[in-house]
Amino acid sequence: TNGKGRGVVCDTGMQTRIGRIAQLIAGDSGAQKKKCGCLPDTSANATPLQKNLDALGGRIGMIAIIICVGIFIVGVAMNRTDPATGSPAWLYMILIAV
């Protein structure tokens, strides 16, 4: 159905209730610190779940790096070369490990 309505704007931007909540989250100064230049640094307000996920991501990353290095070392020790081109073992194993 169709109807007519009228909207009245009382406040905009940071003067709205949502804007006030954003200021409270940002801190007393109202300006958010930038961590990498593009995203605000919210590490001080991280929930326990966010902290655990951050730690899990770090562990998964370290395990992946260790596995890649292990594959590289084993492949170079076994002198695995590229069957198609016969490139050196270290070069081929970088390709395989990554």
Side-chain angles (χ1 to χ4, degrees), residues 29-44:
S29 65
Q32 291 184 341
K33 296 178 183 174
K34 300 288 184 175
K35 187 173 187 178
C36 67
C38 57
L39 298 174
D41 181 15
T42 58
S43 59

Side-chain angles (χ1 to χ4, degrees), residues 7-21 23:
V8 178
V9 177
C10 299
D11 289 316
T12 60
M14 296 304 277
Q15 286 74 37
T16 63
R17 290 180 189 220
I18 303 236
R20 286 188 216 119
I21 292 171
Q23 282 180 336

Side-chain angles (χ1 to χ4, degrees), residues 72 76 80 82 85 87-97:
F72 175 78
V76 169
R80 296 284 183 177
D82 187 3
T85 62
S87 62
W90 65 270
L91 186 61
Y92 181 62
M93 288 317 299
I94 289 175
L95 174 69
I96 296 299

Side-chain angles (χ1 to χ4, degrees), residues 42-82:
T42 58
S43 59
N45 301 340
T47 65
L49 176 63
Q50 290 171 324
K51 291 176 184 175
N52 288 339
L53 286 174
D54 189 37
L56 177 65
R59 280 190 230 124
I60 289 173
M62 288 304 298
I63 289 170
I65 290 171
I66 290 169
I67 289 172
C68 287
V69 168
I71 290 172
F72 175 78
I73 290 172
V74 168
V76 169
M78 294 177 68
N79 198 24
R80 296 284 183 177
T81 59
D82 187 3

